[in-house]
Amino acid sequence: MAVELCEAVVQAAADGTAVQIQGGNSKAFYGRETAGRVLAVSGHSGVVDYEPSELVVTVRTGTAVSALEAALAREGQMLAFEPPRFGDAATVGGVVASGLSGPRRPYCGAVRDFVLGARIINGRGEHLRFGGQVMKNVAGYDVSRLMVGALGTLGVITEVSFKVLPVPVRDATLRMALPADLAIQRMNEWAARPLPISGTCHTNGELYVRLSGSESGVAAAVNRLGGDAVDDAAFWESLREQRLDFFTAQTPLWRVSVPPAVPPLAIEGEWLTEWGGAQRWLKSPLAVETIREQVAAAGGHAILFRGGDRSGPVFHPLPQPLLALHQRLKNAFDPGRLFNPGRLYEGV
Amino acid sequence: MSHSDKPLDPPSLAERDALAREFQRWLPAEAVLHQPEQLRPYECDGLSAYRRLPLVVVLPDTVEQVQQVMRYCAAQGIPVVARGAGTGLSGGALPLSNGVLLSLTKFTRVLDIDPVNRTARVQPGVRNLAISEAVAALDLYYAPDPSSQIACTIGGNVAENAGGLHCLKYGLTVHNIIRLQVVTVDGELVTIGADSLDSPGYDLLALMTGSEGMLGIIVEVTVKLLAKPESAKLIMASFDHVEKAGDAVGAIIASGIVPGGLEMMDNPATRATEDFVHAGYDTDAAAILFCELDGVPEEIDDDLERVKQVLDQNGCTRIRIARDESERQLFWSGRKSAFPAVGRISPDYYCIDGTIPRKQIGFVLTRIAQLSEEYGLRVANVFHAGDGNLHPLILYDGNQPGEFERTEELGARILEACIEVGGTITGEHGVGVEKIDQMCVQFAPAELRQFHALKEAFDPHRLLNPGKAVPTLARCAEFRAMHVHGGELKFPELERF
Ligand SMILES: Cc1cc2nc3c(=O)[nH]c(=O)nc-3n(C[C@H](O)[C@H](O)[C@H](O)COP(=O)(O)OP(=O)(O)OC[C@H]3O[C@@H](n4cnc5c(N)ncnc54)[C@H](O)[C@@H]3O)c2cc1C
């Protein structure tokens, strides 16, 4: 299958036609509109190598995320960055290309923190291998991590090695009624203390905290933090998959990324705050520029996550020298500009 | 890709003077060094077998000055090698005889500490340990702790993606920085990463980390600070066979525990460090394993029992648990000073840095022992066992003709063994000049071409640390031919010792 993918790329290069790389198509809503012949990767599936005692799994990128997670769960392990799937069809390639992480991210790391190696097909149709299956590797530039969040614009990712972690023995969720400003303060105070926090979310005037670890460690932390213990594992799954009521509206949905302790921003709209304050969701009809100006002033950036104009600047505009660097990098990997043209930025 | 590895004619004194005068027009006189005796301290980094004098050394202390240096060098086509503390072990900061050595040691200010967002913004010349010291009162610390942390700089750490004793649980440099200020080859100042957890566009922060001064000059680093663990316990376990110790490492990880640190030393390393720090190590053991558990005290107690069980099941002969904080520090001190300790028992030593899958530890250690015998050179092993990152130290005497060459060859054989079992030629010390030939073994020509194309996106004229980290395809072709014939010197143009 990898050979066929390479051939398809070589053909596209010869024809000078763009390709849209597609896994499960579960994240088609994300990023800018792109055009081109569909290059389906979902047939390139299966676990290549999994040794639980090494905490490493190598998997073809067409593999369904749910299938990978099931294989890990059988060994008591998990993808610690809890990637949102947004549908059963979601593939591992989409997880890496979109670079989206779930509730555990601020406490454990993002997709890129768990990627150890990758194989990619570049715009010349060459199948290349970077990084590896070991925990530490500084031979050559870190091309595998560069693929994370690049939305397929640098190459077709065909295989990825992830570091995996044991599933914690115990989880507990606490809930407490708090206004947004105090909730953000509280999340940041806790983060400065050695507590086994694995998720935080403020919505509808309530702060949810998840603790994960050993029986005794979690029990001790529950005592220290107080609040109501709720039996609500489903809450975190709904948050991760954006199935909470908050996410069902038709208004454009913004993802706002700011330094975690920034107080609530005075931008009109409805907010849901997670990641200890570092990731905030905003439903707002306001103009793109108005939102971005305020977020940038707070030291952050804003992505038009769902809805709105998908042909405009969906991602926060880059300063000129950085945009130029992005274009040169694109050129270094994909000189024919074949892969997902414009999905990330115009001209990239 | 036309960069030539051929030796260059040494520059004349007049050339040196002329360039120095040029820099002194806009840098303070004392920030420009050009007399050979002033240049001497910069002729090598921690890999002292390779030495070369730079054309001049510049020591700017403002970002504007760095920009000016880069603008001038870019315009004149002069190569630039950045240097932090020079503790690198792969020759990454080795000067070029036709190039400028840009030292960042004057950039020693901690610019800002943000206790609420738990970050520190520091200049690149700040020493690794100085960051943790600056925030200790807040019960925060900077997690990556290379053994060289009293001396090495954060800029050098970023450039090498440095690791340390506690990286198994808390990550490498790449996991612990959020933002960089970088001066590009043509003197532009760009921000990479952000004060938030992510930034728009490509993950250039990951790309800069470990890029060995080949993509830009790092002039500011914002690091993440972590809450100090509430408490920590250190277990020291003896084994009568290195292979058993290796298996115990895999078994601990497989049991679902992620120790704060999991390190190993073999008998020669244990003896050398015991003589050096008198920590009470078991010098009869074939190997000792250090396993640190940290977190909330209740959790540590649970895990401690489980670790002891796993160690017993894997045939450990003796267990000691540090009684208190000072004994814990004492136990660690030997592991941290393993390199200098080994340095005392041999005129010279050469440190290797391969990483392998953990399950291969026993196999590779046995292979190293065979190779050691074959080459008639002693090897002491200390390593980041939890990450599978080996540091075999080859003991040799540089004054014995041919011994360094044999040492290098043995090192190369060890690295090739690492590649064979699915590992890599460098876990944390970088490729530099040292492992450039092994890059030809680890990567295919198309992959190397991709690396060169990537570099050119940052540095089209290849002025930043040229000739390091990624070999030219021509060099690899030569290497493959030489590998067949053997016996030739790796860098014939370089002065040795
Ligand atoms: C006794 C000893 C123990 C060690 N233990 C460890 C360990 O446990 N873990 C580990 O990872 N390493 C270890 N090292 C290796 C070394 O300390 C690290 O690689 C360290 O990160 C180098 O930092 P430095 O400031 O000395 O950099 P230098 O040696 O000065 O430079 C290293 C590389 O970084 C580049 N560089 C430096 N500063 C900049 C900058 N500001 N911008 C761009 N490029 C730059 C240089 O060009 C060079 O390529 C050890 C070394 C010694 C001598």
Side-chain angles (χ1 to χ4, degrees):
Chain A
M1 176 78 192
V3 176
E4 287 149 39
L5 289 172
C6 287
E7 282 168 0
V9 172
V10 170
Q11 189 60 50
D15 303 346
T17 43
V19 295
Q20 294 186 58
I21 308 165
Q22 207 173 85
N25 215 24
S26 63
K27 296 176 184 71
F29 68 88
Y30 188 60
R32 300 175 73 248
E33 272 167 9
T34 178
R37 199 190 288 163
V38 170
L39 182 68
V41 183
S42 53
H44 186 60
S45 66
V47 170
V48 178
D49 191 13
Y50 175 33
E51 282 206 52
S53 66
E54 294 290 322
L55 301 182
V56 176
V57 65
T58 301
V59 61
R60 294 192 193 95
T61 48
T63 312
V65 185
S66 53
L68 172 60
E69 292 191 306
L72 298 176
R74 281 195 288 277
E75 301 292 339
Q77 298 185 338
M78 63 175 184
L79 295 174
F81 50 91
E82 300 185 321
R85 293 171 290 255
F86 300 143
D88 295 338
T91 63
V92 169
V95 163
V96 177
S98 67
L100 301 174
S101 306
R104 204 180 295 268
R105 188 267 177 259
Y107 309 101
C108 208
V111 187
R112 53 94 85 173
D113 295 313
F114 289 88
V115 166
L116 300 175
R119 297 188 73 186
I120 66 159
I121 302 171
N122 68 9
R124 289 176 204 86
E126 297 168 326
H127 203 191
L128 312 173
R129 187 191 295 273
F130 298 102
Q133 296 180 293
V134 289
M135 294 296 148
K136 295 165 82 173
N137 188 351
V138 291
Y141 304 114
D142 199 344
V143 174
S144 0
R145 284 200 173 88
L146 182 64
M147 295 299 135
V148 180
L151 282 175
T153 56
L154 296 175
V156 185
I157 311 162
T158 59
E159 206 175 289
V160 179
S161 296
F162 292 112
K163 176 181 180 177
V164 297
L165 285 182
V167 176
V169 179
R170 186 160 135 70
D171 287 316
T173 298
L174 300 173
R175 191 175 58 198
M176 45 199 91
L178 277 180
D181 54 343
L182 287 185
I184 290 171
Q185 232 175 40
R186 199 65 60 82
M187 290 188 273
N188 280 284
E189 282 162 19
W190 288 335
R193 286 166 50 193
L195 292 162
I197 297 179
S198 66
T200 43
C201 176
H202 182 264
T203 179
N204 276 331
E206 288 189 301
L207 174 61
Y208 291 78
V209 188
R210 181 178 60 181
L211 300 153
S212 307
S214 67
E215 286 291 345
S216 50
V218 169
V222 165
N223 278 337
R224 259 174 259 189
L225 294 186
D228 303 328
V230 288
D231 183 18
D232 214 354
F235 173 82
W236 300 104
E237 180 66 14
S238 308
L239 172 65
R240 168 178 174 181
E241 294 302 321
Q242 299 197 337
R243 286 196 301 251
L244 296 173
D245 287 345
F246 175 90
F247 293 104
T248 51
Q250 292 305 308
T251 355
L253 177 69
W254 288 87
R255 176 184 181 272
V256 173
S257 175
V258 284
V262 166
L265 296 174
I267 304 175
E268 185 199 319
E270 253 184 276
W271 291 87
L272 180 146
T273 298
E274 54 168 336
W275 289 13
Q279 173 168 271
R280 304 180 188 185
W281 300 97
L282 166 66
K283 289 186 292 187
S284 172
L286 289 182
V288 176
E289 300 74 31
T290 321
I291 292 176
R292 288 226 162 101
E293 203 173 301
Q294 296 204 47
V295 172
H301 68 101
I303 296 172
L304 183 52
F305 196 78
R306 279 184 203 266
D309 175 11
R310 306 315 293 179
S311 60
V314 163
F315 295 98
H316 213 99
L318 298 171
Q320 183 46 40
L322 272 190
L323 181 62
L325 183 56
H326 276 64
Q327 284 160 341
R328 291 196 301 272
L329 272 172
K330 166 79 173 174
N331 200 40
F333 282 87
D334 178 19
R337 295 170 182 269
L338 306 174
F339 301 131
N340 294 354
R343 179 122 190 219
L344 191 61
Y345 287 102
E346 203 176 339
V348 167
Chain B
M1 268 154 284
S2 61
H3 171 75
S4 152
D5 294 328
K6 286 197 194 74
L8 294 154
D9 290 332
S12 66
L13 278 180
E15 267 179 89
R16 279 217 161 92
D17 287 349
L19 185 61
R21 267 199 307 279
E22 188 60 42
F23 282 125
Q24 277 164 343
R25 283 176 34 204
W26 34 270
L27 281 175
E30 71 279 4
V32 183
L33 311 179
H34 61 109
Q35 304 295 344
E37 67 276 11
Q38 294 176 309
L39 302 176
R40 219 27 98 187
Y42 298 90
E43 68 180 348
C44 67
D45 63 6
L47 181 68
S48 56
Y50 294 112
R51 291 161 198 253
R52 192 155 50 191
L53 289 185
L55 208 47
V56 297
V57 173
V58 292
L59 297 124
D61 77 351
T62 68
V63 172
E64 293 70 35
Q65 287 172 353
V66 174
Q67 289 179 275
Q68 228 167 346
V69 168
M70 289 316 302
R71 259 181 237 129
Y72 178 79
C73 290
Q76 303 295 316
I78 302 171
V80 176
V81 177
R83 178 183 166 108
T87 67
L89 292 171
S90 55
L94 180 74
L96 294 171
S97 47
N98 64 335
V100 166
L101 188 93
L102 172 57
S103 166
L104 292 134
T105 43
K106 286 195 177 166
F107 286 87
T108 54
R109 283 168 287 262
V110 173
L111 298 170
D112 185 37
I113 294 168
D114 181 342
V116 195
N117 284 301
R118 303 167 312 281
T119 59
R121 198 161 59 83
V122 305
Q123 291 189 323
V126 171
R127 291 172 305 108
N128 172 295
L129 187 61
I131 302 177
S132 289
E133 284 170 353
V135 299
L138 301 164
D139 278 331
L140 298 171
Y141 76 114
Y142 173 64
D145 54 345
S147 303
S148 51
Q149 69 182 153
I150 19 173
C152 64
T153 67
I154 187 71
N157 289 174
V158 174
E160 300 286 14
N161 192 14
L165 301 184
H166 292 89
C167 285
L168 175 59
K169 184 165 179 182
Y170 298 104
L172 307 162
T173 306
V174 70
H175 304 112
N176 287 282
I177 58 172
I178 59 170
R179 182 176 178 271
L180 298 174
Q181 294 271 92
V182 172
V183 172
T184 65
V185 70
D186 38 43
E188 207 147 10
L189 184 64
V190 294
T191 301
I192 285 174
D195 290 329
S196 44
L197 288 187
D198 41 50
S199 58
Y202 295 143
D203 195 339
L204 301 180
L205 192 63
L207 202 50
M208 285 304 300
T209 313
S211 66
E212 302 193 26
M214 308 270 293
L215 304 182
I217 309 295
I218 299 155
V219 292
E220 191 183 294
V221 185
T222 306
V223 302
K224 280 194 222 170
L225 303 172
L226 300 186
K228 275 194 215 159
E230 206 166 323
S231 68
K233 277 202 174 138
L234 179 58
I235 308 167
M236 209 161 59
S238 310
F239 290 86
D240 57 9
H241 203 287
V242 283
E243 211 141 340
K244 287 187 196 163
D247 293 343
V249 170
I252 291 173
I253 302 288
S255 76
I257 293 171
V258 182
L262 188 55
E263 299 279 315
M264 188 165 148
M265 296 200 292
D266 70 359
N267 182 273
T270 307
R271 282 175 185 275
T273 46
E274 177 59 21
D275 285 347
F276 193 45
V277 299
H278 309 291
Y281 293 151
D282 181 354
T283 50
D284 294 327
I288 57 174
L289 206 60
F290 299 84
C291 178
E292 180 157 285
L293 300 169
D294 62 9
V296 275
E298 296 86 345
E299 188 155 24
I300 295 178
D301 291 339
D302 283 1
D303 287 352
L304 193 67
E305 285 315 308
R306 283 168 67 200
V307 168
K308 280 207 276 198
Q309 243 175 22
V310 174
L311 290 169
D312 280 338
Q313 283 159 3
N314 283 274
C316 115
T317 54
R318 198 173 152 203
I319 287 185
R320 281 183 68 194
I321 297 168
R323 264 169 303 156
D324 50 26
E325 183 55 23
S326 72
E327 194 169 73
R328 189 177 75 90
Q329 295 294 350
L330 179 66
F331 285 179
W332 272 133
S333 69
R335 168 60 190 89
K336 285 200 178 187
S337 54
F339 295 180
V342 167
R344 292 170 69 221
I345 61 167
S346 169
D348 299 287
Y349 71 90
Y350 188 73
C351 175
I352 311 293
D353 173 45
T355 303
I356 55 172
R358 278 178 287 255
K359 64 173 177 216
Q360 302 284 4
I361 290 177
F363 173 79
V364 172
L365 287 179
T366 310
R367 182 90 191 96
I368 292 175
Q370 286 164 356
L371 286 168
S372 155
E373 203 152 304
E374 186 183 324
Y375 281 81
L377 293 164
R378 287 181 299 160
V379 177
N381 284 289
V382 296
F383 56 95
H384 309 299
D387 290 320
N389 185 193
L390 310 177
H391 288 324
L393 302 171
I394 305 174
L395 312 186
Y396 71 100
D397 181 353
N399 289 323
Q400 299 301 318
E403 203 159 302
F404 178 67
E405 288 70 27
R406 272 210 336 280
T407 300
E408 273 196 314
E409 203 181 307
L410 169 55
R413 296 279 300 273
I414 293 174
L415 291 181
E416 283 154 28
C418 293
I419 301 177
E420 262 167 52
V421 299
T424 175
I425 56 170
T426 174
E428 59 181 16
H429 294 166
V431 173
V433 293
E434 184 204 21
K435 289 174 280 276
I436 197 137
D437 287 336
Q438 279 68 45
M439 286 291 283
C440 309
V441 183
Q442 187 159 333
F443 292 99
E447 289 152 357
L448 296 172
R449 258 198 312 270
Q450 187 63 72
F451 284 146
H452 287 295
L454 185 158
K455 172 166 169 77
E456 283 174 29
F458 286 81
D459 177 20
H461 304 294
R462 296 177 301 277
L463 294 177
L464 290 167
N465 218 0
K468 312 276 179 73
V470 184
T472 60
L473 296 179
R475 181 176 184 111
C476 285
E478 257 171 60
F479 169 71
R480 287 196 191 98
M482 206 163 80
H483 221 48
V484 180
H485 306 302
E488 269 145 273
L489 278 184
K490 190 148 70 160
F491 287 93
E493 77 279 18
L494 281 182
E495 192 182 321
R496 277 157 203 264
F497 306 104

